[in-house]
């Protein structure tokens, strides 16, 4: 057992592993931001963006599955860098991934405040303090995490079922509405929305590039399967199963959902163009309304709120495990790595809770603005993590081969290597390059108005903030990563690990006879097919 694994409990079952990965991807990104994607890039641009990012993510997850099955460490892919590349690489990657999740928590808490504000406005309640909602959720999250990883897994499991059921219900309703079978009035939409003025690729190539970060944010979280591997009962079975089945489900849910949304809701629909961050302008709500479902906005707002709650639950889990990994590797104070008898890293939980209080900035700035600034940074960090995971996988295979080991000896072999990784790396470089290019070429504010026209001054101020937000989101992760890497490398004098000396054994999961028996596929074909799907 590696030092990083001491004190953790292997209490996550297969159903937890699969649903945790699903839960990490189906949330506010799909339910709310998909409308903005369609409005900006049109139906074709939106669908292409989700497909391109989806292909990238497929091979990222395959890379994670191969290494996490062999080395189920708490830091997951962040911990692998020190073993096969350079300790400074692992140092910067782990800290950046912690920052990603530490910022995601206040971002999601700010989104929760926005969602609740939708109901308050319906009841003309303007006196309710916006910080109350984040504070209540923070207290609940601390309690859940104090109980242990099993409680976390159970909560994620049931919340994920709710989200999956909502998506399935939407797909059925969407098909019926598009075909004109239901709705008031009954209109056969077909592919009409793909042929209106500006469609299918509204805004052209630049608009398509502009949607990539928000789509990446919508997919973000799938990679957490590698983190949960450290607390899986049988990583040799659970990690490959989670990686493979989740990919099929996510592809189906996202691609089919976006196709139906884009076919029914026009990209010039006023509700999409004037969306205020709540479910009222979400394309899912519009489709349910067209299906004749009363109170569709309230229903979707409730689903979005539970999705945010679920996402915050995952955020707390991953952020505490990243701090645990940092501590166990000597990159954070030793006390931070302390775990109690239930395997809960108490000091790490306290630090993450303190970070979550950044959401209370909503008192001074406003929920929507806080959420937007956080998302700009988080989306770019997600892209950075994905591209580095692929580079680590290339290096891992090189080290494995250099030590005279056979690929068939791996407990799980990713499919499509190396061509899939090459395709995914090209996509990743394109997405990151597009984000950086757009941050400096689009939306630069002109001279400040003299103030005689209040509206012009307000528009200039909004444009300036948006430009600064884009610059910060695109460049901050790379500048901070460079600082972390260079400073650690020169202060510690680290060197690149020789392929022949890479540690590919410490912390490997050694299955018991019971675990080996669990790997065997038994039963009739129909039962095995159902087990594969669920």
């Amino acid at each position: 057992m590696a030092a990083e694994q001491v004190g953790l409990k292997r209490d996550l079952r297969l159903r937890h592993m699969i649903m945790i990965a699903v839960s990490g991807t189906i949330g506010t990104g799909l339910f709310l931001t998909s409308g903005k994607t369609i409005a900006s890039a049109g139906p074709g641009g939106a669908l292409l963006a989700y497909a391109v990012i989806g292909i990238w993510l497929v091979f990222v997850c395959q890379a994670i599955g191969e290494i996490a099955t062999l080395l189920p460490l708490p830091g997951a892919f962040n911990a692998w860098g020190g073993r096969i590349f350079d300790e400074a690489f692992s140092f910067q990657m782990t800290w950046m991934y912690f920052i990603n999740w530490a910022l995601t928590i206040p971002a999601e808490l700010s989104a929760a405040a926005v969602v609740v504000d939708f109901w308050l406005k319906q009841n003309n309640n303007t006196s309710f303090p916006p910080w109350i909602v984040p504070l209540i959720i923070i207290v609940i999250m601390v309690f859940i995490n104090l109980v242990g990883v099993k409680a976390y897994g159970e909560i994620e499991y049931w919340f994920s079922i709710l989200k999956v059921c909502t998506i399935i219900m939407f797909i059925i309703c969407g098909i019926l509405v598009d075909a004109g079978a239901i709705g008031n009035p009954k209109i056969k939409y077909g592919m009409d929305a793909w042929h209106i003025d500006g469609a299918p690729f509204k805004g052209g190539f630049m608009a398509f590039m502009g949607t990539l970060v928000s789509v990446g944010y919508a997919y973000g979280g799938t990679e957490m399967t590698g983190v949960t591997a450290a607390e899986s009962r049988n990583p040799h079975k659970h990690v490959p199963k989670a990686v493979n089945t989740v990919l099929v489900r996510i592809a189906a849910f996202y691609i089919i959902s976006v196709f139906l949304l884009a076919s029914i809701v026009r990209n010039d629909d006023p509700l999409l163009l004037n969306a205020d961050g709540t479910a009222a302008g979400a394309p899912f709500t519009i489709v349910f309304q067209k299906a004749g479902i009363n109170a569709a906005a309230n229903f979707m707002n409730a689903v979005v709120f539970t999705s945010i709650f679920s996402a915050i639950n995952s955020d707390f889990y991953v952020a505490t495990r990243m701090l645990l990994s940092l501590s166990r590797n000597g990159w954070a104070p030793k006390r931070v790595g302390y775990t109690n008898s239930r395997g809960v890293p108490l000091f790490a939980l306290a630090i993450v809770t303190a970070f979550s209080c950044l959401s209370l900035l909503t008192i001074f700035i406003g929920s929507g603005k806080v959420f937007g600034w956080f998302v700009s940074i988080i989306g770019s960090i997600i892209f950075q993590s994905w591209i580095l995971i692929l580079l680590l996988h290339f290096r891992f295979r090189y080290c494995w081969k250099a030590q005279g080991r056979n690929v068939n000896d791996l407990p799980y072999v990713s499919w499509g290597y190396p061509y899939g990784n090459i395709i995914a790396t090209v996509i990743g470089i394109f997405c990151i390059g597009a984000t950086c290019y757009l941050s400096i070429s689009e939306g630069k504010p002109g001279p400040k108005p003299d103030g005689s026209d209040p509206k012009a001054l307000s528009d200039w101020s909004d444009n300036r903030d948006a430009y600064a937000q884009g610059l910060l989101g695109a460049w901050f992760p790379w500048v901070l990563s460079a600082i972390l890497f260079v400073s650690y490398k020169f202060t510690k004098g680290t060197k690149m690990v020789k392929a022949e000396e890479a540690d590919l054994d410490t912390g490997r999961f050694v299955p018991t006879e019971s675990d080996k028996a669990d790997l065997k596929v038994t039963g009739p074909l129909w039962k095995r097919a159902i087990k594969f799907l669920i």
Side-chain angles (χ1 to χ4, degrees):
M1 178 180 288
E4 302 100 301
Q5 297 166 311
V6 176
L8 295 177
K9 303 292 184 182
R10 291 191 179 276
D11 284 336
L12 291 179
R13 298 175 180 270
L14 177 60
R15 61 187 178 89
H16 296 146
M17 295 284 290
I18 293 177
M19 283 302 182
I20 284 170
V22 172
S23 176
T25 54
I26 300 177
T28 53
L30 178 63
F31 289 137
L32 296 183
T33 64
S34 55
K36 182 180 178 181
T37 303
I38 295 171
S40 301
L47 189 63
L48 181 61
Y50 274 94
V52 168
I53 301 294
I55 292 171
W56 181 11
L57 191 55
V58 162
F59 295 106
V60 169
C61 287
Q62 284 296 307
I64 291 172
E66 180 172 295
I67 309 179
T69 305
L70 179 76
L71 299 169
L73 304 175
F77 36 86
N78 303 288
W80 305 333
R83 303 248 189 135
I84 61 179
F85 185 64
D86 190 309
E87 190 176 325
F89 184 89
S90 191
F91 172 80
Q92 70 86 17
M93 193 173 180
T94 308
W95 269 112
M96 288 303 299
Y97 200 63
F98 165 71
I99 291 170
N100 171 51
W101 291 102
L103 292 180
T104 299
I105 294 171
E108 297 284 5
L109 287 168
S110 300
V114 174
V115 170
V116 171
D117 188 57
F118 168 75
W119 283 312
L120 295 176
K121 287 179 179 178
Q122 279 190 330
N123 296 307
N124 296 318
N125 187 337
T126 57
S127 61
F128 188 83
W131 53 269
I132 291 293
V133 174
L135 187 61
I136 292 173
I137 295 176
I138 290 171
V139 172
I140 295 173
M141 286 300 130
V142 171
F143 174 76
I144 292 171
N145 279 267
L146 284 174
V147 174
V149 68
K150 193 171 183 179
Y152 157 73
E154 285 297 331
I155 290 171
E156 282 305 288
Y157 177 77
W158 292 107
F159 272 129
S160 293
I161 287 177
L162 171 64
K163 288 187 281 188
V164 169
C165 288
T166 300
I167 295 289
I168 292 173
M169 183 170 71
F170 163 77
I171 290 174
I172 294 172
C173 283
I175 292 172
L176 294 175
V177 169
D178 193 52
I182 61 173
N184 187 21
K186 293 182 179 180
I187 301 173
K188 186 175 181 180
Y189 293 91
M191 298 287 287
D192 291 346
W194 291 67
H195 301 291
I196 64 173
D197 187 33
F201 294 97
K202 182 180 178 181
F205 188 66
M206 297 296 285
F208 161 73
M209 290 197 300
T211 64
L212 294 175
V213 169
S214 62
V215 173
Y217 177 77
Y219 274 119
T222 313
E223 73 285 343
M224 71 173 62
T225 303
V227 180
T228 57
E231 293 173 271
S232 164
R233 291 191 174 185
N234 188 350
H236 282 195
K237 177 181 179 181
H238 296 173
V239 174
K241 185 87 169 178
V243 168
N244 288 325
T245 57
V246 165
L247 292 176
V248 175
R249 297 177 188 194
I250 297 305
F253 289 152
Y254 275 83
I255 301 302
I256 294 175
S257 295
V258 171
F259 174 77
L260 289 171
L261 288 172
S263 298
I264 298 171
V265 183
R266 293 165 57 105
N267 62 69
D268 57 358
D269 191 301
L271 283 175
L272 289 185
L273 299 174
N274 299 314
D276 58 358
T278 67
F284 285 82
T285 302
I286 298 171
V287 172
F288 281 130
Q289 288 173 335
K290 291 180 182 293
I293 298 176
N294 296 324
N298 283 305
F299 169 73
M300 279 307 303
N301 218 48
V303 170
V304 171
F305 185 79
T306 58
S307 299
I308 293 172
F309 189 90
S310 166
I312 296 170
N313 189 30
S314 292
D315 300 344
F316 261 81
Y317 171 81
V318 178
T320 54
R321 270 50 183 184
M322 287 302 103
L323 271 180
L324 178 69
S325 178
L326 285 165
S327 175
R328 297 286 172 85
N329 282 287
W331 303 329
K334 187 176 180 180
R335 186 177 292 271
V336 175
Y338 167 77
T339 56
N340 65 10
S341 58
R342 291 187 295 273
V344 180
L346 293 178
F347 290 99
L349 178 59
I351 294 171
V352 172
T353 302
F355 262 94
S356 67
C357 292
L358 287 172
S359 61
L360 302 183
L361 288 171
T362 56
I363 303 171
F364 310 103
I365 303 175
S367 304
K369 287 188 177 181
V370 171
F371 179 71
W373 278 88
F374 280 134
V375 167
S376 294
I377 299 172
I378 294 164
S380 292
I381 297 178
I382 288 172
F383 278 2
Q384 183 189 78
S385 297
W386 290 353
I387 198 73
L388 293 182
I389 288 168
L390 291 170
L391 296 179
L392 280 174
H393 191 213
F394 281 120
R395 178 65 181 174
F396 170 78
R397 279 294 189 95
Y398 178 77
C399 293
W400 189 263
K401 184 178 180 181
Q403 295 182 10
R405 307 189 191 213
N406 195 313
V407 173
N408 295 326
D409 293 335
L410 290 167
Y412 174 73
V413 179
S414 65
W415 44 266
Y417 185 90
Y419 305 108
N421 282 41
I422 293 172
I423 293 171
T425 302
V426 171
I427 293 174
I429 292 173
F430 166 75
C431 291
I432 293 168
T435 303
C436 293
Y437 172 74
L438 290 176
S439 71
I440 59 177
S441 65
E442 294 288 306
K444 188 174 182 178
K448 184 178 180 180
D450 56 13
S452 59
D453 186 350
K455 186 178 183 307
L457 185 61
S458 176
D459 291 343
W460 180 88
S461 179
D462 290 342
N463 190 33
R464 178 201 60 192
D465 291 346
Y467 183 70
Q469 182 176 311
L471 281 175
L472 181 66
W475 296 98
F476 169 78
W478 297 101
V479 173
L480 182 57
S481 290
I483 293 172
L484 289 171
F485 179 83
V486 173
S487 61
Y488 189 85
K489 187 168 184 64
F490 280 94
T491 56
K492 298 294 184 179
T494 62
K495 296 181 179 180
M496 187 170 180
V497 177
K498 293 181 180 179
E500 297 80 7
E501 299 174 1
D503 182 3
L504 304 178
D505 295 302
T506 305
R508 287 180 66 167
F509 175 72
V510 181
T512 63
E513 291 302 319
S514 175
D515 293 327
K516 292 177 181 178
D518 194 34
L519 290 172
K520 296 178 181 178
V521 181
T522 58
L525 180 61
W526 65 270
K527 186 176 288 187
R528 281 180 282 156
I530 292 175
K531 284 184 178 180
F532 176 80
L533 293 173
I534 62 174

